[in-house]
Amino acid sequence: MADGGRMKGVEGAGGGAVDEEERNEEVRVEEELELALSLGRRGWHLPVRQGPALRFVNWTAVLPEWNPDVAGSSRAAEGASSGQPIPSLGFHDMFGGILDPPRAVGSVEALDLQNKRLRVRRFGEESPQHSGSSATRFGSESSFLPIPDENVHFKMSRFPEHELEFGLSLFPNDGGSESPKGANNELIDAENSGGINSEDVGIKMDFSDDLLHLIFSFLGQKDLCRAGVTCKQWRSASVHADFWKCLIFENTRISLQNFVDICHRYQNVRELNLHGVINAETLVLEAIMFLRHLKKLTMGKGQLGEAFFQALFECPLLNTLTVTDASIGSGIQEVTVNHDGLRELQILKCRALRISVRCSQLQILSLRRTSMAHVSLNCPQLLELDFQACHKLSDTAIRQAATACPLLTKLDMSSCSCVTDETLREIASSCPNISVLDASNCPNISFESVRLPMLIDLTLLSCEGITSASMAAIAYSRLLEALQLDNCSLLTSVSLDLPNLKNISLVHLRKFADLNLRSPVLSYIKVSRCSALHRVSITSTALQKLVLQKQESLSSLTLQCHNLIDVDLSDCESLTNAICEVFSDGGGCPMLRSLILDNCESLSIVELNSSSLVSLSLAGCRSMTFLRLSCPNLQNVNLDGCDHLQSAAFCPVGLESLNLGICPKLSILRVEAPNMTILELKGCGVLSEAFINCPLLTSLDASFCRQLVDDSLCRMAEACPLIEHLILSSCLSISIDGLSSLHCLHKLSLLDLSYTFLINLKPIFDSCPQLKVLKLSACKYLSDSSLDALYREAALPLLVELDLSYSSIGQTAIEDLLTCCTNLVNVNLNGCTNLQELVCESDGCRSVDMPVDFCPPNSAPVKNEISEQSGRLLEVLNCTGCPNIKKVVIPSMANFLQLSKINLNLSTNLKEVDLMCSNLHSLNLSNCSSLEILKLDCPRLTNLQLLACTMLQEEELESAISHCCALEILNVHSCPKINALDFGRLRVVCPSLKRIQSSLIS
């Protein structure tokens, strides 16, 4: 408990109130942790109060917060009874884990300890304490806190949702029926006080003893002490012997008397931890008579003399002793550990002169990092011995200690630099059952002539004496399963044929050049930072993953691994083309699924024929010029950085998509992929021959394939009839013959012929009637007559998007397109130099060559009147950067009912804009430096961009936006003729304006 709220135990069950001077005297004693549960016979039970009458008093916040330094002190209640301030303990802190689920039901009002339940009232219900009744009256034995003749009222705060008051009622142990009384000695009904009837009583929560026992089983000792001062039921549950079989006092201050009392009360203690406890040896010696059932003892950070180890005879059941960071003995004599029942002894990081261990049943002994000059062992049953980092032990001492344990199976003498091969040979002779050996950081051993036939796990890290000659001795251990040879700087080769070898680690071997492993159960190989390694041969039926990254000298790899799945040979710069045979069918890896050969710069020809390969990465193989893959299950391939690849064949593969745009020198391509849907050849500028057989292909991007000829396009169209998107931008070698073959593509909906030399579009109109998107950007040789079929013959009736940007199409053709092609949704006329004005008329197709009642074949007659009534479908019109356009007029009779966006940005000669578009939302006139006349009747316009319209007058702007009742964003930045003083007028004219962007606004 907190320092301000220490509880003082009462000497007997019948003792009275403690004198004030005695309390003050007790407070001045040395502050230390005294667990309340140790009081036992001294006052943990309820004191009997004497006196004829009961008095009433209100006491707030008596439950202090937990302080690990003084928790459970027998003086904890003294501060409370003397009126010292006690920090409050939130209700949620005590019961949060139990009462969280019903938190929304109501507020807890009273903790009824007689009935062992929590009475819960709904939020907002008046409490008896607030309805005029006085504080609750206690019985003569009601409180375990030494506050006689007082009524205790708890007020707790910090409940998650409301600040609540709780009344603690403690009734006599005999279950007396004395009822609480008010200030006038009138009986108060606990259920119906304050006018609350039985129907208003809240939910009753009953914690049975079994439930409390289960909950308290998850608490530690300090939490049990805190819970024990809550109520009688919790106190009774917290002192149950089941919770005190394991005493953990690590780094805790506890007095001698308190410790003895605890051990006396709980004599069935199985585990005791006194690590970091002051005078721990004295505590054990004084209480050893009560620890006859102790099985595990932990000590540390102190002085332990001979008396301590002799006293362990009093604990016949002790089987585990751990001593850490302690000084053992007096420093001038030998310390003897003698116990017939001890099974495990750990003396770690301790200081001693000589240690003698005589334990007939001892099986595990660890002296790790203990500084001692000599050790004597008489442990005939010892199985595990640990001498790690015992630097003061001599080679002879280690030899004598180990050879005295004939049943030894595990030995750790790592970092014992004095150990020699002679010691290893004698240990191997005396302890033939050794299965685990760690001799790391022992520079004087070479392991030659050491025979350990039962060895299973061998660790020889940083052993400078280990060479290739040592492998003969290691190979003698036919049962060996794990081998670690990291940092053995003189090791040049490893050749092992071990039937049980499972794991091997070879890291940072500077001279290591040759690895030959044969083991049917080998499942893990770690080879790293072996810069001289040039040959690897592995035979295993259990190996599934092999990683040999950054082995710069590796040139030869032989694998017979029938279950190998993943191989990573990244940055193996010396690998030759012969590596492909290893991973092809018949090469020893029939189950291979993933192969990574990134940055293997010596590979020039890669030919793989694998029926199991699923993923292949050749990124960064810059020397590769020829690639041939016959992998029917291949689904992923990475060719990033293969910029010298000239010929590639994927026949057959299981790829669903392929991107070869990063191979600029690719000239010949063959693809046979029955599952492929997307093929990207963008940037293969020298690709001249393409044989593509992909019956499910839907998208082909051949942009900038300038040498792709008609024959390749024809073969592709016949073999890939499901293509929907075909991009032939900058394919300068494609002619009319190639375009005529597109009649095979019955599902073609997008065709991109931008940046080509096309003159005649008739093959497209004839072959692709189902086309929806046609892009002819920068087709400089197109004339007005090239598009006649669109608006004269109603070609491409499903066309919704047309891109004529930067083309040579003239004024008349553009007007006819906008007038007659009513199905167009998106039209791009960016950079059209021949466009001088855009005036949309209300009549239909204005060409005199096309009769009014003309209708396309196989369709109903379409007349002008019908077109006007139905309206045009145009939604987006882009005319960015048209240098010669001067006028744009779209009247309401033009029937552009769906037009929502117009972009005239960078049209520097544009002077007049007159728009009456009922559905227009966005209008961009930025950088139209000649704009003078602006007329808008666009009720749905929300965004108007007039950036750098230097000639536009403020009056013109006011008049324009006055008919735009939905305008929210107006950009007049760099418009010198529109000044900041007029912005208020703009908002008056157009109240919907929310944001005005201008260079004049700071």
Side-chain angles (χ1 to χ4, degrees), residues 791-802:
Y791 52 85
R792 292 179 182 272
E793 303 173 6
L796 306 182
L798 301 179
L799 191 67
V800 295
E801 180 177 344
L802 178 62

Side-chain angles (χ1 to χ4, degrees), residues 362-364 379 381-385 407-411:
L362 191 66
Q363 296 181 353
I364 300 175
C379 308
Q381 301 297 322
L382 192 65
L383 301 177
E384 300 182 12
L385 179 59
L407 300 182
L408 199 63
T409 60
K410 182 178 180 180
L411 175 61

Side-chain angles (χ1 to χ4, degrees), residues 896-910:
F896 285 103
L897 303 179
Q898 306 298 325
L899 187 60
S900 61
K901 181 179 179 181
I902 299 178
N903 190 351
L904 295 167
N905 183 25
L906 294 172
S907 298
T908 55
N909 288 317
L910 182 62

Side-chain angles (χ1 to χ4, degrees), residues 537-549:
S537 177
I538 301 173
T539 301
S540 171
T541 57
L543 188 64
Q544 294 186 350
K545 184 174 183 178
L546 177 63
V547 178
L548 297 174
Q549 296 179 349

Side-chain angles (χ1 to χ4, degrees), residues 21-315:
E21 293 183 1
E22 287 187 34
R23 289 198 294 268
N24 293 336
E25 178 71 16
E26 201 63 34
V27 169
R28 287 193 294 269
V29 302
E30 178 184 0
E31 293 187 357
E32 57 189 9
L33 176 65
E34 295 182 2
L35 297 172
L37 294 180
S38 70
L39 297 178
R41 55 181 174 77
R42 300 200 294 126
W44 177 250
H45 52 278
L46 298 177
V48 178
R49 293 187 296 166
Q50 299 179 1
L54 296 173
R55 292 183 289 115
F56 301 93
V57 64
N58 282 337
W59 184 24
T60 62
V62 300
L63 286 180
E65 295 179 328
W66 170 253
N67 187 332
D69 293 331
V70 296
S73 173
S74 62
R75 300 185 297 276
E78 182 178 356
S81 62
S82 60
Q84 299 181 15
I86 302 174
S88 63
L89 180 64
F91 178 79
H92 187 270
D93 295 336
M94 297 173 57
F95 302 102
I98 302 173
L99 298 182
D100 275 347
R103 181 182 301 171
V105 175
S107 61
V108 178
E109 178 185 337
L111 181 62
D112 190 338
L113 301 179
Q114 181 187 24
N115 299 320
K116 298 181 181 180
R117 71 174 183 267
L118 291 173
R119 183 175 299 117
V120 184
R121 296 187 184 276
R122 290 181 289 273
F123 289 135
E125 185 176 343
E126 187 177 9
S127 169
Q129 287 79 3
H130 296 95
S131 60
S133 58
S134 62
T136 306
R137 191 177 188 180
F138 289 179
S140 61
E141 296 180 3
S142 62
S143 177
F144 62 88
L145 295 175
I147 310 298
D149 304 327
E150 293 180 350
N151 173 52
V152 182
H153 177 72
F154 291 90
K155 182 178 180 180
M156 305 179 186
S157 62
R158 297 178 60 84
F159 194 70
E161 297 181 5
H162 298 277
E163 181 177 325
L164 308 174
E165 291 189 358
F166 308 90
L168 177 61
S169 300
L170 300 175
F171 296 91
N173 291 332
D174 56 6
S177 60
E178 181 180 357
S179 301
K181 295 182 179 181
N184 299 325
N185 290 335
E186 297 177 357
L187 292 177
I188 300 176
D189 190 341
E191 298 291 338
N192 301 319
S193 61
I196 302 175
N197 56 39
S198 59
E199 295 178 354
D200 296 329
V201 175
I203 300 173
K204 298 178 181 180
M205 303 185 66
D206 192 356
F207 293 104
S208 65
D209 291 339
D210 292 339
L211 178 58
L212 273 181
H213 192 89
L214 176 61
I215 295 173
F216 282 9
S217 66
F218 296 97
L219 301 182
Q221 291 168 330
K222 296 178 182 179
D223 292 329
L224 285 171
C225 292
R226 176 161 54 178
V229 298
T230 303
C231 63
K232 292 193 300 182
Q233 184 193 17
W234 286 30
R235 180 205 66 218
S236 177
S238 65
V239 298
H240 197 283
D242 288 349
F243 306 141
W244 298 89
K245 293 182 179 180
C246 178
L247 301 180
I248 308 297
F249 298 141
E250 185 173 358
N251 299 320
T252 301
R253 290 179 295 165
I254 183 170
S255 67
L256 175 61
Q257 185 59 44
N258 197 23
F259 179 74
V260 173
D261 289 341
I262 293 175
C263 295
H264 176 68
R265 181 181 180 92
Y266 302 104
Q267 297 189 20
N268 289 325
V269 171
R270 300 290 190 268
E271 180 179 348
L272 175 61
N273 189 336
L274 294 175
H275 184 275
V277 177
I278 301 175
N279 298 323
E281 180 183 17
T282 304
L283 298 181
V284 173
L285 293 178
E286 291 295 328
I288 195 70
M289 66 185 68
F290 306 121
L291 300 175
R292 298 189 60 80
H293 294 88
L294 189 65
K295 293 184 178 181
K296 183 177 181 179
L297 176 60
T298 301
M299 308 288 288
K301 293 186 177 180
Q303 180 76 31
L304 298 179
E306 183 72 22
F308 167 78
F309 293 100
Q310 292 179 357
L312 296 180
F313 282 108
E314 299 291 337
C315 304

